[in-house]
Amino acid sequence: MEPIRRLPQDQRSLASGVPDAVPGTVFVLSVEGGVSADPGAHRTILFGRNRAEVHVSVGEDDQRVSRMHGSISYRGGQWWVAVTGRLPVRFPREQMLFGGEDPMPLAAGYTPLFVQGSSGREHLLQVYVVGESGSRPVLRPRDPTQPPRTWQLSPQEKLALIVVGQRYLLHDLHPLPLSWRQAADQLAELRPDENWTGKRVEHLVSNVRTRLSRDGVPGLTREEVGEPVGNALNDNLFRTLLLTTTLVPRDLDVLDD
């Protein structure tokens, strides 16, 4: 059997799993087709724009994608992604890998990679590494949906966070939190009897940030982020609150009351 094999032409996705295979087998797929490869020393899958030079072509109509944009190689019992192209590859959680940087390892299971292209385009490269069980995930279409973990907020904390983070809830392209003074002025208009000040807003938001950090949420302390901090701590806080649906866009209705 060939160490690198073409996937069937009707293969459209790896997100639902792959056929049973030897642990460590990797599947790589783009809209132009894909391959699978057994684990083995010095085994490498190349991806990029030039179909004649790579195993998996991606972004064939996009000249910002390099002809040989990167590779997925097996060494040390693991598959690693390396970028040789001019533009980076985006991993989940917004992590970027640039050309010339150390390769990044692939975990078992499904990983979507996004090859950066022109005019904001991103070309999907699906990767699936078979885990130790060698089997696909169990489908559970009738199982109850597992809700995300949401964080308990006091009414005052939630109101302050909605006002400070309203640009995140409004889906601004590059959101920033309001300053403590801006938020206090708006809160004073909404609730004139509650003695809102910039210091009070800062204290409420900082308490939430400290509480989440103690519960294991990363990126909410100066020690983790490093100097200069800028808006990084509150930016990380609001992204966490939105991803966990602790805050949702309909919370903005309180600003219209």
Side-chain angles (χ1 to χ4, degrees):
M1 181 179 292
E2 292 294 326
I4 298 179
R5 302 170 294 276
R6 301 300 308 176
L7 295 179
Q9 289 189 346
D10 59 357
Q11 182 89 43
R12 292 291 178 262
S13 176
L14 303 178
S16 298
V18 297
D20 288 352
V22 174
T25 301
V26 68
F27 292 74
V28 184
L29 179 67
S30 75
V31 295
E32 281 92 15
V35 300
S36 66
D38 298 330
H42 310 299
R43 195 148 294 160
T44 295
I45 295 171
L46 303 175
F47 62 88
R49 176 165 50 89
N50 189 345
R51 181 184 291 266
E53 295 182 359
V54 299
H55 298 98
V56 179
S57 59
V58 59
E60 289 189 11
D61 64 342
D62 191 337
Q63 289 181 277
R64 287 293 182 90
V65 177
S66 295
R67 286 167 290 185
M68 189 177 297
H69 203 91
S71 63
I72 299 173
S73 302
Y74 189 82
R75 58 181 174 81
Q78 197 164 16
W79 291 97
W80 299 77
V81 180
V83 174
T84 54
R86 290 180 177 271
L87 292 179
V89 169
R90 180 169 66 85
F91 280 66
R93 298 178 179 271
E94 303 300 322
Q95 194 165 14
M96 307 288 280
L97 180 63
F98 289 81
E101 290 189 317
D102 290 340
M104 288 182 60
L106 285 164
Y110 178 75
T111 302
L113 303 177
F114 299 90
V115 180
Q116 305 298 297
S118 58
S119 303
R121 294 177 68 188
E122 290 188 319
H123 304 277
L124 175 62
L125 188 70
Q126 301 180 65
V127 183
Y128 195 105
V129 178
V130 177
E132 287 302 318
S133 66
S135 61
R136 62 184 295 170
V138 177
L139 303 182
R140 296 185 171 92
R142 297 184 181 277
D143 284 7
T145 301
Q146 294 182 355
R149 179 183 180 181
T150 57
W151 305 93
Q152 293 297 316
L153 304 172
S154 72
Q156 292 78 18
E157 288 172 342
K158 185 168 185 177
L159 180 60
L161 288 164
I162 292 169
V163 172
V164 175
Q166 60 188 271
R167 292 169 182 162
Y168 293 82
L169 295 167
L170 287 166
H171 305 298
D172 277 13
L173 186 59
H174 303 292
L176 288 173
L178 266 61
S179 71
W180 307 132
R181 182 72 263 167
Q182 288 174 312
D185 289 345
Q186 189 168 356
L187 285 161
E189 292 182 13
L190 289 169
R191 306 285 174 86
D193 300 328
E194 295 185 10
N195 190 30
W196 288 100
T197 65
K199 283 293 184 185
R200 185 185 179 197
V201 176
E202 181 181 5
H203 181 72
L204 288 167
V205 175
S206 297
N207 280 351
V208 174
R209 209 170 55 228
T210 299
R211 196 161 69 243
L212 268 61
S213 178
R214 287 174 179 167
D215 278 344
V217 178
L220 301 182
T221 66
R222 286 180 175 271
E223 292 73 22
E224 294 172 284
V225 171
E227 300 292 346
V229 172
N231 285 311
L233 300 182
N234 286 334
D235 182 73
N236 292 340
L237 172 64
F238 284 110
R239 293 185 188 281
T240 295
L241 294 175
L242 266 66
L243 284 171
T244 60
T245 66
T246 302
L247 293 182
V248 294
R250 64 175 176 271
D251 288 330
L252 288 169
D253 291 347
V254 71
L255 304 186
D256 297 325
D257 290 346

